[in-house]
Amino acid sequence: MKITVLVDNIGTGELVGEWGLSFYIEYQGKSFLLDAGGSGTFAENARKLGLNLENVDYAVLSHAHYDHADGMADFFERNRTAKLYLQESCQEDCWRVKEDRSMKYIGIRAGMLEEYRCRLRRVHGDMDICEGVRLVAHHTPHLEEAGAREQMFRKEGGAWVTDCFSHEQSLVFEVGDGIVILNSCSHGGADNIIREVAEEYPGKRIRAMIGGFHLHNKEDGYIRELARRIRKTGVEEICTGHCTGENGYRVLREELGDRVRQLRAGLELEYQEPGQEELKHQGPEWEEPETRCEKKI
């Protein structure tokens, strides 16, 4: 299994960074696209990396925010066959409260879901995409509390409703005796997500949790407590970036040490079957990002 980061806040060399995430994943002869950032940047980076988006077999949207969804129009123009798997509740209806108490739209570009409706595959809860690959929805109760903390809302029938992140899902791959979890923003809590997925794979090693943890707006104490809960899950590696933020990454490293790695555009992660080389990190070095986008939602 090989994962290539197409877009992250951190760009390297000729690869442009933006506030968003996009992953190109190769697994058992199939290609997957998880998210497409907020523009066509992911596609241009894919071209520079020699990755052909026309060959993608499955596309997945992790949740209904613009910085993961709005590049999908560029993907649909380049790939004419792959379906986009998204949760049934994923709509163009996500907002957050700004510092001046006004509401800011942070959802999917208006009209995009209708424009590409024939390319969508709506998922209700959990679903196996193909052998060894599963979508896992949130099962943790009361996630509207996380929505209230983030001051994120959805508009339903003209009324504001606290976001419970029912539109968020994880993409999970079985690799030998373990699993690799990708969840691009982890609004439902990285520890909750690991636990939700682990319950569906009893006895499996949790080899990696990959994605953003939405810590850019959190105090150190909150991050340290989250790190302690993550440690208890038994996850072997964390690869994080995007909405985790620089300080969030720093504190996670302090608490969890070398098991925490930094995402960035162009990074390659390889997970092998048992008995082979366990894990390879390739692409740009960890310590010297060249460009960083700090736009936040």
Side-chain angles (χ1 to χ4, degrees), residues 48-85:
K48 292 174 181 176
L49 290 166
L51 299 174
N52 191 347
L53 296 176
E54 294 179 3
N55 295 334
V56 169
D57 299 289
Y58 304 95
V60 174
L61 182 61
S62 65
H63 63 291
H65 288 170
Y66 78 93
D67 50 333
H68 301 263
D70 282 5
M72 280 297 173
D74 291 81
F75 172 71
F76 290 140
E77 294 304 312
R78 289 167 171 78
N79 181 304
R80 300 291 182 171
T81 58
K83 294 289 187 180
L84 174 64
Y85 290 74

Side-chain angles (χ1 to χ4, degrees), residues 33-271:
L33 179 73
L34 173 61
D35 293 348
S39 71
T41 296
F42 83 101
E44 180 60 17
N45 284 351
R47 183 191 66 77
K48 292 174 181 176
L49 290 166
L51 299 174
N52 191 347
L53 296 176
E54 294 179 3
N55 295 334
V56 169
D57 299 289
Y58 304 95
V60 174
L61 182 61
S62 65
H63 63 291
H65 288 170
Y66 78 93
D67 50 333
H68 301 263
D70 282 5
M72 280 297 173
D74 291 81
F75 172 71
F76 290 140
E77 294 304 312
R78 289 167 171 78
N79 181 304
R80 300 291 182 171
T81 58
K83 294 289 187 180
L84 174 64
Y85 290 74
L86 68 169
Q87 282 293 309
E88 191 172 54
S89 60
C90 199
Q91 303 294 338
E92 298 163 4
D93 61 357
C94 293
W95 300 71
R96 76 163 176 86
V97 180
K98 296 170 61 178
E99 292 182 0
D100 63 3
R101 308 307 298 172
S102 64
M103 300 298 287
K104 177 182 179 180
Y105 183 68
I106 59 171
I108 301 169
R109 176 174 57 80
M112 194 174 79
L113 295 179
E114 174 62 23
E115 182 178 357
Y116 296 102
R117 65 186 182 282
C118 64
R119 302 289 301 275
L120 307 182
R121 177 72 184 273
R122 294 284 184 177
V123 179
H124 181 68
D126 301 347
M127 177 184 175
D128 291 326
I129 296 181
C130 61
E131 185 176 357
V133 184
R134 183 181 300 180
L135 294 171
V136 178
H138 284 308
H139 304 295
T140 301
H142 309 303
L143 288 185
E144 64 275 4
E145 295 174 4
R149 181 183 63 243
E150 300 300 331
Q151 298 190 74
M152 290 183 175
F153 297 85
R154 304 179 73 181
K155 205 164 190 177
E156 297 181 0
W160 294 110
V161 178
T162 305
D163 200 339
C164 66
F165 305 112
S166 62
H167 54 95
E168 188 170 63
Q169 60 185 349
S170 298
L171 180 60
V172 185
F173 294 85
E174 294 184 61
V175 184
D177 62 350
I179 55 174
V180 174
I181 308 168
L182 294 98
N183 188 301
S184 294
C185 272
S186 307
H187 292 99
D191 57 323
N192 290 330
I193 290 164
I194 297 170
R195 185 175 60 252
E196 289 169 345
V197 174
E199 288 173 354
E200 300 204 10
Y201 294 88
K204 289 275 191 180
R205 295 165 54 197
I206 310 167
R207 295 176 67 169
M209 171 71 177
I210 302 170
F213 288 4
H214 215 268
L215 300 176
H216 67 87
N217 56 353
K218 303 298 190 301
E219 298 293 333
D220 286 9
Y222 177 97
I223 301 169
R224 294 188 193 283
E225 179 57 34
L226 173 65
R228 295 183 189 109
R229 297 197 302 269
I230 289 174
R231 182 184 294 111
K232 290 179 180 178
T233 69
V235 64
E236 296 173 11
E237 181 178 63
I238 297 294
C239 298
T240 191
H242 179 42
C243 55
T244 297
E246 291 185 69
N247 186 63
Y249 176 77
R250 177 187 64 80
V251 176
L252 287 176
R253 284 277 295 184
E254 289 177 1
E255 293 292 326
L256 299 174
D258 289 343
R259 81 176 70 182
V260 181
R261 301 297 184 190
Q262 177 74 66
L263 293 175
R264 62 191 57 194
L267 177 68
E268 297 176 356
L269 303 169
E270 293 189 38
Y271 296 89

